Amino acid sequence: MSVEIDVAVIGAGVIGLATAREIAQEKKDVFVFEKNRTFGLETSSRNSEVIHAGIYYPEDSLKAKLCVEGKNLLYRLCDKHNIAYKNSGKIIVAADENEINWLKELYEQGRKNGVDDLALLSRMELKKLEPNIEAKAGLLSPSSGIFDSHSLLKLLYSQAKEKGAEFVFNTEVIGVEKAGTKYEIQIKDRDGISAFVSHVVVNCAGLNSDRIAQLAGIDIAKSAYKLHYCKGEYFSLDSKYKNLVSRLIYPAPEQAGHGIHWRQALDGRVLLGPSAHYVEEIDYRVDETQKQAFYDSVKKYLPLVELEDLEPESTGIRPKLQGPGEDFRDFVITDEEGSGFPGLINLIGIESPGLTASLAIARYVGSMVKNFFT
Ligand SMILES: Cc1cc2nc3c(=O)[nH]c(=O)nc-3n(C[C@H](O)[C@H](O)[C@H](O)COP(=O)(O)OP(=O)(O)OC[C@H]3O[C@@H](n4cnc5c(N)ncnc54)[C@H](O)[C@@H]3O)c2cc1C
C-alpha cells in the first residue's frame, strides 16, 4: 500500500521551497521530493541574485504581476529575518538614439506594470550618479537591488519544515500517474523504486518541469511546454574595479536575456553577466572563449575595463519556453484541470524574474491548492 499525502511538490529550488512553506501553513501534508542531496543546488543558486523591479514584461503578464508583488514581499521578508540585501538601484543604459527610444518604451512599460518610481536620465544626470559610466542616456530603477539568495533558500527550507513539510532528498520522481482522483508518484532513491499517492502534485522541477508534465500525461508539444535551455556565463572583474560603480548597470536588453550587466555582489566581488545563448545539454562549465564578447559588451558602457582583468566565474541555465528568435513567453503556472488533470499544477518556464517573484508565485500556487481542497 502506498503512503497517501495531500500535496507532493517536485523540486526543492526556490519555487518548491516557497510553495511548500506556503501550503504547509494550510495544515496540509506536504512532501517535497528532490533528486539532489539537498535544496537549491540548481538554477536557484546559479543566478544574479538581483531583485528585479518588474519593468521588462508585458502588462498583466504573470511575470510582471508576480515580479512586482514578489519584490515587495521579498524586501519585507529580508527585513524581517535579517537577510542581507542592498537596495542599490539599477540603471539601464542607452548607447545610441535607437536605445534611447527603447528606454522610453521600457519606462512606459514599467509604469504600466506598476513600477512608478522610474526616472529617465539625460547623459549629464547619469554622469552625476555614475561618473565612470559612459552612455547617451539612462533609465533609473530605484527599487532594484541585490540580496543573499542562499539565506533566502535556507530560511524558506527551515520555515517549511517548521510548518510540517517533509523533505525527501536524493529522491527522483520518475513517474506521475493519474489514479482516479489522485496521482501516484513513483520515486527512485538508494533503496530502489517506491510510490506515494497524492491528491495534488505541484511540479516545480525547473529545467525538468516539461518532462515531469509529460510523464504525467500532458502533451507538451500541443501545450507548448517544451523547454529550451539558455545558458548564461558570468565573468568576474579584478578587485581594483570595486566601488567604481555603485548601482547595477544593465545595457539595453537582448532578445534572450537582460544583457551583460555589471553587479557588485554583497561580498564585494564585481561580476559581469549573464550572457544568453541556447544550448542542448546541461553543462555548467564556463565557455572561456566568450571573454572577448563580454569585454566588448562591457567596454561600451565602462571604458575603463581591461580585457586581462576578466576571469571566468560561473554559469546558470534558463528554463525558457521561448525558443531562439521567438516572441515573449510568460510563466506557465496552471492547474491542468482543463486538460483532464485536476490537481496537477505545472510551473514551467520559471526563468528570470523567478527568484524575485518566488514568494508571490508561492501565494498564487497556494490559492490554487486551497481552491482544490474547498
Ligand atoms: C543565469 C540566470 C540568472 C538569473 N538571474 C536572476 C535574477 O537576478 N533575479 C531573478 O529574480 N531571477 C533570476 N533568475 C531566475 C531564477 O534563478 C529562477 O527563476 C529560479 O531560481 C527558478 O527556481 P526553481 O525552483 O523553479 O528551479 P530550480 O532551482 O532549478 O529547482 C528545481 C529543482 O527541481 C529538482 N528536480 C528536477 N527534476 C526532478 C525530479 N524528477 N525529481 C525530483 N527533483 C527534481 C532539481 O534538482 C532542482 O533542485 C536567473 C536565472 C538564470 C539561469
Side-chain angles (χ1 to χ4, degrees):
M1 266 265 299
S2 305
V3 176
E4 191 167 315
I5 58 176
D6 293 327
V7 182
V9 175
I10 306 173
V14 71
I15 303 300
L17 293 173
T19 301
R21 167 184 176 263
E22 184 75 28
I23 300 168
Q25 67 197 9
E26 294 294 326
K27 308 266 176 288
K28 294 281 173 257
D29 270 343
V30 181
F31 274 60
V32 183
F33 298 101
E34 169 54 58
K35 66 179 164 57
N36 293 328
R37 66 182 160 76
T38 189
F39 59 87
L41 294 184
E42 301 207 349
T43 311
S44 297
S45 52
R46 295 179 163 276
N47 55 64
S48 306
E49 300 188 293
V50 170
I51 303 181
H52 287 296
I55 305 169
Y56 300 96
Y57 324 104
E59 198 181 348
D60 292 330
S61 61
L62 286 176
K63 283 184 178 171
K65 286 195 283 198
L66 298 173
C67 182
V68 172
E69 183 189 337
K71 167 185 67 177
N72 296 327
L73 292 172
L74 190 52
Y75 276 125
R76 258 186 269 151
L77 193 81
C78 289
D79 277 333
K80 191 166 171 197
H81 294 280
N82 290 323
I83 294 177
Y85 72 89
K86 195 168 161 203
N87 183 193
S88 53
K90 144 176 166 177
I91 301 179
I92 306 168
V93 295
D96 56 33
E97 283 305 317
N98 267 344
E99 291 186 0
I100 292 179
N101 289 332
W102 207 346
L103 287 190
K104 289 178 184 158
E105 284 170 24
L106 277 183
Y107 172 82
E108 291 304 333
Q109 188 61 61
R111 285 176 63 91
K112 282 184 197 156
N113 294 350
V115 189
D116 48 18
D117 56 357
L118 299 174
L120 285 162
L121 305 173
S122 65
R123 184 169 184 276
M124 290 312 291
E125 288 167 328
L126 173 60
K127 274 274 167 210
K128 261 193 207 155
L129 293 176
E130 297 290 356
N132 293 312
I133 294 295
E134 201 47 65
K136 292 260 191 295
L139 176 63
L140 174 69
S141 165
S143 69
S144 306
I146 50 168
F147 80 114
D148 174 3
S149 63
H150 296 276
S151 295
L152 173 72
L153 295 172
K154 274 193 228 155
L155 177 78
L156 295 176
Y157 173 62
S158 65
Q159 289 193 335
K161 272 197 3 170
E162 263 166 41
K163 290 176 200 302
E166 296 280 347
F167 284 82
V168 195
F169 292 120
N170 290 313
T171 301
E172 184 181 355
V173 171
I174 56 165
V176 179
E177 206 174 312
K178 197 157 181 278
T181 56
K182 302 172 198 155
Y183 294 91
E184 185 178 272
I185 318 283
Q186 280 165 355
I187 54 172
K188 191 168 133 206
D189 60 16
R190 282 188 203 116
D191 300 326
I193 294 174
S194 51
F196 276 69
V197 169
S198 185
H199 290 261
V200 169
V201 179
V202 188
N203 169 13
C204 303
L207 292 163
N208 242 344
S209 51
D210 57 343
R211 265 172 269 171
I212 294 287
Q214 189 168 34
L215 278 181
I218 299 283
D219 181 339
I220 62 166
K222 201 166 140 216
S223 309
Y225 285 175
K226 172 101 188 72
L227 285 174
H228 306 270
Y229 297 153
C230 183
K231 188 167 178 179
E233 260 94 7
Y234 293 93
F235 279 74
S236 61
L237 268 182
D238 189 280
S239 59
K240 73 184 183 204
Y241 294 96
K242 227 168 138 173
N243 305 327
L244 213 61
V245 177
S246 52
R247 293 168 184 77
L248 295 155
I249 303 295
Y250 279 60
E254 294 166 3
Q255 219 259 336
H258 291 329
I260 291 176
H261 62 260
W262 163 286
R263 162 175 57 113
Q264 183 157 4
L266 289 168
D267 61 9
R269 282 173 313 145
V270 181
L271 298 166
L272 304 174
S275 50
H277 53 105
Y278 285 90
V279 293
E280 292 300 322
E281 301 286 327
I282 296 177
D283 175 351
Y284 289 119
R285 280 172 299 186
V286 181
D287 173 4
E288 298 192 22
T289 62
Q290 291 212 16
K291 185 168 170 171
Q292 184 70 41
F294 266 70
Y295 171 70
D296 293 342
S297 169
V298 173
K299 183 98 182 155
K300 281 191 205 150
Y301 60 82
L302 194 75
L304 289 170
V305 168
E306 301 291 345
L307 180 66
E308 60 270 24
D309 293 331
L310 273 76
E311 286 295 333
E313 167 75 23
S314 59
T315 61
I317 298 180
R318 304 168 181 88
K320 267 191 170 307
L321 284 164
Q322 167 197 330
E326 289 174 9
D327 286 340
F328 171 85
R329 289 287 306 273
D330 203 358
F331 293 151
V332 166
I333 307 179
T334 190
D335 184 318
E336 300 289 354
E337 188 173 6
S339 308
F341 297 90
L344 170 65
I345 301 175
N346 277 323
L347 289 93
I348 304 177
I350 312 297
E351 52 163 334
S352 189
L355 190 59
T356 310
S358 54
L359 301 175
I361 291 175
R363 276 194 177 177
Y364 191 72
V365 175
S367 63
M368 286 179 176
V369 172
K370 210 170 173 177
N371 283 344
F372 180 87
F373 284 108
T374 47

